[in-house]
Each structure stands twice: as structure tokens, then as C-alpha cells.
Amino acid sequence: CQFMRRFIKNLPVGIASGIVTIIAIYLSLSSNPLGDTDIMLFENADKFFHAVMYFGITSVYYLDYAKSRLPHHTKLNAEAAVTVAAIVFSGLMEIGQGLIGNRTMDPWDFAANVAGALLAFVFVKFYFITVFRHYLLRHHRHHHSSHRKSNEASE
């Protein structure tokens, strides 16, 4: 747990967002990103996976932004802009699929992407950001409180 906290804190801002962006571009624009695997779990499973993918992308973008603001809180207009950026990115990927021609542009895929991005905004904004901030700042706060106690004891 300590290793992961240190890894996340030391990972430069933007790296995680860059990695998920590259993965999303590959999955979106490659003619057959998963090989010959054609697994149909349930009807419209691809829409579910589109929503999950953009939930993840938006969450990573949002948390990367939040990390850049630590120890300060994020602002609602910037959080909304991050979400809109993920939605615009998803639209560009759908347009790219249509332009490249090896896949089809599907407005329902875009709708699923938007749903995933908006769900991520709500989830991260109203629940996970608190956990994330506490996780990354726990040691920082502890250090300040122990430092304050040692200063009070020496006075």
C-alpha cells in the first residue's frame, strides 16, 4: 500500500492520462484491436464496454487533474471541462472510425461514451475524489500534525 501511494504521488501529472489516451486511440481506431476474439456476452455488450471505457478514461483524466492541484481542491468549472474534454475525445474517436473506414461511426457508441463520462464525473466528484485526496495526503497531514506537536513540546 505504501509502495502504491509513493508510486502514484511520484508519477508525473499527465502520464496516466497519456497512457489511457493512447490505449483508447488504439482500441478505437484499430481495425481489430482484440484480434479474432468475437465474444458476445449479451445484446449491446459493446455499448456497455464503451461506457466502461469512457468511465475509466474520464476518471483518470479527472484524478490526474486533481493530483495536479494537490493539496488544493479542484474547481467545478475545471472538473466539468475535464469531463467535456473526454466527451469531445470520444466524439473525435467516433469520427475517426468513420473517416478511416475500417470501422463504422456509431452514434449509439458515442451516446454510451457520453454516459460513461458523465457517470465518472458524478462518481469521482461526489465520492472518489475524497478517498483519493485522503489517500495521497494522509502522510502529508500526519507529518504536519506530528511536526506541530514537536514544536509545541519544545516551546
Side-chain angles (χ1 to χ4, degrees):
C1 193
Q2 184 68 13
F3 170 77
M4 274 309 284
R5 183 178 302 119
R6 202 170 327 126
F7 177 76
I8 291 170
K9 284 181 93 168
N10 292 330
L11 187 68
V13 172
I15 296 295
S17 294
I19 290 169
V20 298
T21 300
I22 290 167
I23 291 169
I25 290 170
Y26 172 75
L27 291 173
S28 297
L29 300 181
S30 174
S31 62
N32 196 6
L34 300 177
D36 290 335
T37 311
D38 192 19
I39 301 171
M40 185 59 152
L41 302 174
F42 50 89
E43 190 173 348
N44 293 318
D46 68 314
K47 306 306 180 247
F48 172 76
F49 291 119
H50 273 266
V52 168
M53 185 167 85
Y54 277 90
F55 180 94
I57 290 168
T58 306
S59 296
V60 170
Y61 287 177
Y62 193 136
L63 294 174
D64 227 358
Y65 164 68
K67 182 180 173 208
S68 75
R69 299 287 306 149
L70 286 175
H72 306 291
H73 290 276
T74 58
K75 298 197 182 317
L76 182 61
N77 59 347
E79 296 160 351
V82 167
T83 305
V84 168
I87 291 170
V88 168
F89 174 70
S90 79
L92 293 173
M93 290 299 96
E94 286 301 319
I95 291 168
Q97 288 176 358
L99 293 175
I100 290 175
N102 59 6
R103 310 237 330 242
T104 59
M105 186 170 61
D106 184 351
W108 292 109
D109 285 351
F110 179 69
N113 298 345
V114 170
L118 293 175
L119 284 171
F121 173 77
V122 170
F123 175 74
V124 174
K125 171 68 180 162
F126 295 106
Y127 172 69
F128 194 72
I129 196 68
T130 304
V131 173
F132 182 74
R133 287 179 54 76
H134 176 72
Y135 181 75
L136 290 180
L137 293 176
R138 183 171 57 190
H139 178 69
H140 182 69
R141 287 184 183 153
H142 175 71
H143 174 72
H144 283 300
S145 63
S146 64
H147 181 68
R148 191 176 315 130
K149 287 178 186 174
S150 67
N151 282 347
E152 290 170 359
S154 65
E155 291 176 357

